Amino acid sequence: MTADIDVVVTGLGATTPLGGDVASTWEGMLTGRSGVSAMVGGFVEQYDLPVRITARLAVEPTEVLPRVEARRLDRCEQAALVAARQAWADAGHDDDSVDKERLGVIIGTGIGGARTLLEQDDLIEEHGLRKVSPLSVPMLMPNGPAAYVGLDLKARAGVHAPVSACASGAESLAWAWRMIKTGEADVVVAGGTEACITAVTMAGFIQARTMSSRNDDPARASRPFDANRDGFVLGEGAGVLVLERADFARARGAKIYGRLAGVGLSSDGHHITAADPEGLGQSRAISAALRTSGVAASDIAHVNCHATSTPVGDVIEPQAVRRSVGDHVLLTAPKGHHGHLLGASGAVEAITTVLSLRDGVIPPTLNLVDQDPKVDLEVVTGEPRKIDQIAAVNNSFGFGGHNASLVFTTV
């Protein structure tokens, strides 16, 4: 690692249940909109699923991408390409602004092309071999989103695809940070994507008893830290950030949103789906992010929490935050607005963390009416909180015990 290399954020792109771009997503966070809605018909009725609420994309990727291109991509690849192109344009890059040998891409996903796999399996069972698409494998492989974004940008410094469940998007940013800090790249386009609202995925989560069943009140179903929470809402989306070596960005006159100052990764070594009950792995990740950033815990103003609205998980994270950062920080949990985007969560929420620092405002946690007494830190709720802040933490945790924490600062 080269200590004197700073990593800055120069471009943002997103497509989420709140909107088809960063501006509409951020506006939805600040104004208290929900991206959760009821599903009518389709597989929820075919299989009589007890959960009939999801957080689907507000803007269909097929409305943005050329028709022929969209047909060759799985939905998670479509979303990634939409967000990546937004971020690249936002960063002010063109074909000649960076040596392609110095450009990397890292796009993570928790599940990948689940829709393609299931659709193609139906085709072979019903109609035989000849109906299966020759593009099936590129569409279903988890590295597909990263590969297609890499091809779109002609990146040659490396294209990678972390697959670490719900920590995938944040882990992608951590590895991008490392690529720049070690001198492997000047610019890395990094983030996460997910689009796996399918019968099998929902049924699996339902059987695991992790999803909210508030079918009669979709907008209020995802309620992080609330005493009456009953599980998460499955969502889909993509978030992509352009990270650059600071001196490279300044030399080309790029606007800079903020700095990715430090990263921390850890693993629980505890259980395939349950987090360490004391949050020890989570606190190690947060502490590592603080250590690599050089930012004092006392300078962290708020933590953008992973908090998915599950009864157990939402209690563990505040313990980890208190242990690693202290009791002075404010908490916020975006999943009340857009549900759980799985592998895309960390990247989309990194974007909201960056914007929070830029604008000096912390978005509220939607649907928090009665805070769980076991959550013993202050949570921003009701209205956005105006606050002077120089640094914040973004957390993402995933099945398998994956923990990823990021420290962002103002420039």
Side-chain angles (χ1 to χ4, degrees):
M1 296 287 179
T2 305
D4 59 351
I5 293 179
D6 272 344
V7 179
V8 295
V9 180
T10 60
L12 305 174
T15 181
T16 75
L18 291 174
D21 56 22
V22 170
S24 55
T25 297
W26 183 232
E27 179 271 337
M29 296 285 294
L30 295 179
T31 58
R33 284 196 291 111
S34 170
V36 180
S37 61
M39 291 186 71
V40 179
F43 65 76
V44 294
E45 291 188 5
Q46 180 182 354
Y47 300 112
D48 194 24
L49 297 186
V51 173
R52 301 187 176 203
I53 50 175
T54 55
R56 287 159 288 178
L57 288 171
V59 176
E60 285 294 317
T62 51
E63 297 178 9
V64 180
L65 299 172
R67 184 176 61 86
V68 173
E69 182 178 42
R71 287 180 60 190
R72 296 169 178 261
L73 303 171
D74 181 82
R75 188 173 176 84
C76 75
E77 295 168 340
Q78 294 171 354
L81 203 54
V82 167
R85 286 175 177 171
Q86 287 179 19
W88 190 247
D90 185 46
H93 278 293
D94 56 37
D95 285 343
D96 301 318
S97 58
V98 58
D99 179 356
K100 298 303 187 288
E101 303 287 334
R102 303 287 300 166
L103 172 62
V105 169
I106 307 181
I107 306 289
T109 183
I111 295 178
R115 288 169 59 117
T116 291
L117 177 60
L118 294 170
E119 288 167 0
Q120 296 301 310
D121 182 67
D122 286 344
L123 286 174
I124 195 170
E125 288 187 10
E126 294 174 16
H127 305 289
L129 169 68
R130 294 187 180 279
K131 287 294 183 179
V132 174
S133 169
L135 295 175
S136 294
V137 174
M139 291 173 71
L140 66 86
M141 61 191 191
N143 65 307
Y148 278 114
V149 171
L151 289 168
D152 196 53
L153 299 176
K154 300 180 176 60
R156 300 193 184 98
V159 174
H160 308 287
V163 178
S164 47
C166 307
S168 300
E171 189 168 321
S172 295
L173 295 168
W175 286 110
W177 180 88
R178 290 179 176 180
M179 279 188 75
I180 295 172
K181 295 285 278 188
T182 56
E184 298 172 64
D186 296 323
V187 180
V188 181
V189 177
T193 186
E194 204 77 83
C196 62
I197 298 176
T198 69
V200 171
T201 311
M202 286 188 67
F205 284 130
I206 289 167
Q207 290 294 83
R209 299 182 179 181
T210 58
M211 297 184 74
S212 172
S213 57
R214 281 191 172 85
N215 298 319
D216 58 341
D217 197 5
R220 294 180 177 83
S222 181
R223 43 202 314 128
F225 298 133
D226 192 88
N228 296 308
R229 66 192 181 278
D230 68 333
F232 71 83
V233 175
L234 181 61
E236 57 183 3
V240 174
L241 295 82
V242 178
L243 303 180
E244 303 192 30
R245 209 180 70 231
D247 58 339
F248 181 86
R250 292 192 177 100
R252 70 179 188 85
K255 73 173 180 297
I256 295 175
Y257 285 98
R259 185 168 68 110
L260 177 52
V263 306
L265 302 176
S266 75
S267 53
D268 283 351
H270 173 70
H271 189 271
I272 192 63
T273 57
D276 181 316
E278 297 182 37
L280 297 178
Q282 296 178 9
S283 61
R284 285 198 304 273
I286 299 169
S287 295
L290 289 170
R291 184 173 63 253
T292 56
S293 72
V295 174
S298 58
D299 288 332
I300 301 296
H302 90 274
V303 176
N304 190 302
C305 293
H306 179 69
T308 62
S309 187
T310 56
V312 176
D314 284 15
V315 173
I316 294 173
E317 185 174 4
Q319 297 175 24
V321 170
R322 176 183 284 275
R323 184 182 299 112
S324 53
V325 181
D327 60 6
H328 67 281
V329 293
L330 298 169
L331 307 184
T332 188
K335 293 180 180 69
H337 293 84
H338 53 57
H340 192 358
L341 309 183
L342 304 187
S345 291
V348 170
E349 293 170 23
I351 290 171
T352 61
T353 305
V354 169
L355 294 177
S356 180
L357 288 167
R358 182 197 68 176
D359 296 348
V361 59
I362 303 172
T365 300
L366 192 63
N367 300 326
L368 177 52
V369 177
D370 181 15
Q371 185 169 321
D372 189 328
K374 294 179 182 177
V375 178
D376 59 353
L377 296 175
E378 184 176 357
V379 183
V380 177
T381 186
E383 298 294 327
R385 183 80 60 90
K386 280 283 187 181
I387 181 174
D388 290 329
Q389 50 182 338
I390 61 171
V393 171
N394 181 50
N395 286 333
S396 292
F397 312 125
F399 278 7
H402 303 281
N403 306 305
S405 295
L406 310 170
V407 171
F408 290 97
T409 71
T410 54
V411 180

